Amino acid sequence: MHYWTPSLDVDYEFEKLVNRMHPPRVTVDHTTDKNSTLIKVDSANKRGSLLEVVQVLTDLNLLIKRAYISSDGGWFMDVFHVTDQYGNKLSEDIVTDHILLSLGRRGCSFRSLRGSVGVQYASENTTIELTGRDRPGLLSEVFAVLSDLKCNVVAAEIWTHNSRMASIVYITDDETGLPINDPDRLAKIKQLLMYVLKGDLDRRGAQTAVSVGFTHTQRRMHQLMYADRDYDTDEYDTKSSGYKPKPLVTVENCVEKGYTVVNLRCPDRPKLLFDTVCTLTDMQYVVFHSTIIAEGPEAFQEFYIRHTDGCPISSEAERQRVIHCLEAAVKRRVSEGLRLELCGEDRLGLLSDVTRIFRENGLSVTRAEVTTRGSRAVNAFYVIDSSGHPVKSETIEAVRNAIGESILKVKEDEVLTKSKSPGRQTGGFSLGNLFRNRSEKFLYNLGLIRSCSEVA
């Protein structure tokens, strides 16, 4: 006798049937609002629909000025008022196909996290995931290990928050330019990175995991930091989050409707809605209704949520956890420190040398975006003084002299602290004379390619 049991395959087939019967519909309205473009999305409701749509809008660098969301029952209806990254209405319809494609495929946003060091294989690169306790010089050590093992870093994203660090690094074999898939070599890479990450103060330890398949980079960054509990603090957490003022989050139950109402107010910035929806999704909450207003310097977000089991928040401990996690979602992307932009010819060991020079000059990296455009490296680093003091102008001058003034730029309008002591002199070593072309891959599919001067 055969017994039928629910499975992911059955759920997937049912989802495909619903999509065929009620295909998603996206309309773009350029006339109703004189200041923004309206994007209306109607589709059969499924878990993660809101995140998928917001993720598409974010990937297209659109700013969400207002949004009205409803997903009660079996239908999902959203209205977004969006502009381009410069605040202008959209000149053409660039979103419909992207949203339809996203809603029409089975999402991969809910795969489990099994450890703090992971390797996955993609068609053009090998992906390494890192999480651990942040400390001065950590990034320099990570890149030094990869350089010694002949791994060329073609792209990376690094975040730090509450003394925790998360990173996704895309690498290829330096000799072949191909992904690394030899099990023994991967095991050695993971083992050496484990030694670097564990350290003496990482009380949570480090683990290894291997996962296969492509994932959305910044979506995965939120998953990594949430799994590493960056929303917690302890007696060792001394680094400032760098985010002022603190976001205001309130969580209350609407008893008559059976919802929990979450209100968030904080300074507006790009990708804010994406960050908060990611976190609610990771915490296993479903957004049934929402109102988003971000037409000035401040953003207001209101969510009516329930847990995936259908229940509202039922304890004070759970309420506090939601508050802390949403605060972390807002703060972890905000970059503390001075932005340094590096544009030049890519080569093996470039990042190891650059971050070593940062460390030798007393600078810590709080966030970084590493990208490759053909043969050129296009990188952005946010740095602070390791001692906690403001970065001095002579320190930056010394770093630029060592790396190459034409290669490393300070973001315009950044303020540096002047010191009474004379500027330090550096030797004749210059990275500008050592750049070599080692990367031939242009990473269109990573969602990381940006211009050198783009503001994060």
Side-chain angles (χ1 to χ4, degrees), residues 284-305:
Q284 307 298 311
Y285 291 107
V286 178
V287 176
F288 288 87
H289 302 282
S290 181
T291 300
I292 310 299
I293 301 174
E295 294 180 309
E298 193 173 53
F300 170 79
Q301 299 180 1
E302 182 179 61
F303 301 99
Y304 286 75
I305 66 171

Side-chain angles (χ1 to χ4, degrees), residues 219-269:
R219 171 79 179 97
R220 186 63 172 158
M221 290 292 289
H222 279 292
Q223 289 179 316
L224 290 172
M225 297 214 81
Y226 173 74
D228 198 41
R229 300 178 66 89
D230 76 311
Y231 51 87
D232 283 343
T233 58
D234 56 39
E235 65 269 27
Y236 293 100
D237 291 329
T238 58
K239 182 186 292 186
S240 168
S241 68
Y243 186 89
K244 298 178 182 180
K246 183 178 179 180
L248 176 63
V249 183
T250 62
V251 178
E252 299 176 349
N253 278 346
C254 180
V255 179
E256 62 274 15
K257 297 294 184 180
Y259 294 117
T260 293
V261 184
V262 177
N263 284 288
L264 183 147
R265 188 184 298 271
C266 66
D268 189 30
R269 61 167 174 79

Side-chain angles (χ1 to χ4, degrees), residues 19 22-29 38-46 48-57 64 67-71 75-82 93 95-104:
N19 277 332
H22 305 286
R25 181 177 60 185
V26 180
T27 59
V28 178
D29 179 358
L38 272 65
I39 299 174
K40 303 175 184 179
V41 183
D42 298 327
S43 76
N45 194 20
K46 66 174 182 178
S49 294
L50 175 61
L51 176 56
E52 290 173 355
V53 174
V54 172
Q55 182 172 296
V56 170
L57 300 179
I64 300 173
Y68 306 97
I69 295 158
S70 178
S71 61
W75 202 251
F76 170 82
M77 294 179 287
D78 285 357
V79 178
F80 298 93
H81 294 242
V82 304
D93 181 7
V95 297
T96 300
D97 291 341
H98 291 81
I99 294 176
L100 290 176
L101 177 62
S102 176
L103 293 178

Side-chain angles (χ1 to χ4, degrees), residues 58-59 157-161 216-219 221-222 225 230 241 243 269-276 278 327-336 366-369 382 450 456:
T58 301
D59 289 344
E157 186 99 6
I158 298 97
W159 292 358
T160 64
H161 176 244
H216 186 276
T217 302
Q218 296 188 4
R219 171 79 179 97
M221 290 292 289
H222 279 292
M225 297 214 81
D230 76 311
S241 68
Y243 186 89
R269 61 167 174 79
K271 304 183 181 182
L272 178 62
L273 181 59
F274 172 77
D275 295 340
T276 54
C278 272
E327 288 176 347
V330 172
K331 294 188 290 184
R332 63 172 64 118
R333 187 193 291 273
V334 176
S335 304
E336 178 185 7
T366 62
R367 184 177 167 221
E369 293 179 354
Y382 291 82
R450 297 179 176 87

Side-chain angles (χ1 to χ4, degrees), residues 142-160:
V142 167
F143 287 140
V145 167
L146 295 175
S147 178
D148 289 342
L149 295 174
K150 306 302 180 183
C151 301
N152 188 45
V153 177
V154 292
E157 186 99 6
I158 298 97
W159 292 358
T160 64

